[in-house]
Amino acid sequence: MFFKRRPQPPTELSDEELLSRYRRTGEVADLGVLYERHMPTVFAICRRYLRPDEDAQDAVMQLFEKLVVSLRQHEVSNFPAWLHTTARNHCLMQLRARQRAGPESGPVVIHFPDAADVESAGVAHLLGDNPDDEVANEERLQALELALAGLPEPQRRCLELFYLEKKCYREIADATGYDLGLVKSHLQNGKRNLKRSLDPSPDAAR
């Protein structure tokens, strides 16, 4: 007698496994679990560009609706990096739509992340001395987001919790299951790797 193997619960699957299964089956619950894992980062990106927070929250929901379609059509090899870029581009489209709508839509303001301590000299070097240079700042912010997405998952998660969600060491340990020593290690290594990625000069590796 043969028994049909029950599919694994989505919470037990990695990002890659969830993405692969969603592309194969179209099961939105799998995509929902995958997106929820990265939602704090997506919301933080949206808040950099969109105000008030309600607009950022709307953008987070709109992005999920877009992913339902686009991830069935396009193969994605690095989901965190792809999601960062997709969220950023969605917000920029919203800002450009506001600009076209005229002054009554309110001022267009880009909110850069308060993460100077994360990259040490890295983000200061990227942002430069001219905050009015919108095009250059967009490119630098994208570099920062992609560098963060390229970190090992434990380092990226700890940095996001510490700098984007303002969690203390104990709260990060509770959220991730890591002990305090490992949390501090992931933060230290993540900051060093992020700085090295943003500024690949020999001095940055020290």
Side-chain angles (χ1 to χ4, degrees), residues 173-186:
D174 292 341
T176 61
Y178 304 141
D179 61 43
L180 285 176
L182 198 53
V183 167
K184 295 176 182 178
S185 176
H186 286 324

Side-chain angles (χ1 to χ4, degrees), residues 35-48 60 80 83-84 87 145 148-149 156-157 160-161 164-165:
Y35 191 61
E36 187 175 1
R37 290 177 184 173
H38 298 271
M39 192 177 293
T41 304
V42 173
F43 180 60
I45 293 171
C46 292
R47 288 187 76 243
R48 295 172 194 166
V60 171
L83 183 60
H84 274 69
E145 292 166 354
L148 184 62
R156 179 181 64 81
R157 184 61 180 144
E160 289 172 347
L161 289 170
L164 300 181
E165 300 186 38

Side-chain angles (χ1 to χ4, degrees), residues 44-74:
I45 293 171
C46 292
R47 288 187 76 243
R48 295 172 194 166
Y49 293 92
L50 304 175
R51 288 289 192 273
D53 278 359
E54 288 77 8
D55 287 356
Q57 292 166 358
D58 288 345
V60 171
M61 295 300 102
Q62 292 163 4
L63 276 164
F64 180 74
E65 294 172 0
K66 291 178 63 174
L67 300 192
V68 170
V69 177
S70 60
L71 285 176
R72 295 297 305 279
Q73 299 173 341
H74 305 288

Side-chain angles (χ1 to χ4, degrees), residues 45 79-90 142 145-146:
I45 293 171
F79 180 73
W82 179 87
L83 183 60
H84 274 69
T85 301
T86 300
R88 173 184 171 275
N89 289 342
H90 177 79
Q142 183 178 30
E145 292 166 354
L146 290 175

Side-chain angles (χ1 to χ4, degrees), residues 3 6 8 12-13 71 88 97 103 105 112 151 158 181-182 189:
F3 295 93
R6 299 179 61 185
Q8 283 183 274
E12 297 179 1
L13 299 176
L71 285 176
R88 173 184 171 275
S105 62
F112 292 100
L151 293 177
C158 287
L182 198 53
N189 292 333

Side-chain angles (χ1 to χ4, degrees), residues 7-136:
Q8 283 183 274
T11 53
E12 297 179 1
L13 299 176
S14 67
D15 285 3
E16 293 76 14
E17 290 169 332
L18 281 171
L19 184 57
S20 176
R21 194 164 81 173
Y22 173 69
R23 285 179 53 81
R24 186 174 67 253
T25 67
E27 180 58 57
V28 177
D30 287 340
L31 181 60
V33 171
L34 176 62
Y35 191 61
E36 187 175 1
R37 290 177 184 173
H38 298 271
M39 192 177 293
T41 304
V42 173
F43 180 60
I45 293 171
C46 292
R47 288 187 76 243
R48 295 172 194 166
Y49 293 92
L50 304 175
R51 288 289 192 273
D53 278 359
E54 288 77 8
D55 287 356
Q57 292 166 358
D58 288 345
V60 171
M61 295 300 102
Q62 292 163 4
L63 276 164
F64 180 74
E65 294 172 0
K66 291 178 63 174
L67 300 192
V68 170
V69 177
S70 60
L71 285 176
R72 295 297 305 279
Q73 299 173 341
H74 305 288
E75 187 172 351
V76 174
S77 59
N78 186 335
F79 180 73
W82 179 87
L83 183 60
H84 274 69
T85 301
T86 300
R88 173 184 171 275
N89 289 342
H90 177 79
C91 292
L92 290 175
M93 289 177 61
Q94 297 258 350
L95 291 177
R96 292 179 183 124
R98 291 183 185 181
Q99 287 177 320
R100 288 193 297 268
E104 63 276 5
S105 62
V108 176
V109 180
I110 295 179
H111 300 266
F112 292 100
D114 180 15
D117 290 336
V118 181
E119 306 84 22
S120 186
V123 77
H125 168 73
L126 282 175
L127 293 180
D129 298 323
N130 186 8
D132 296 325
D133 189 351
E134 180 177 335
V135 174

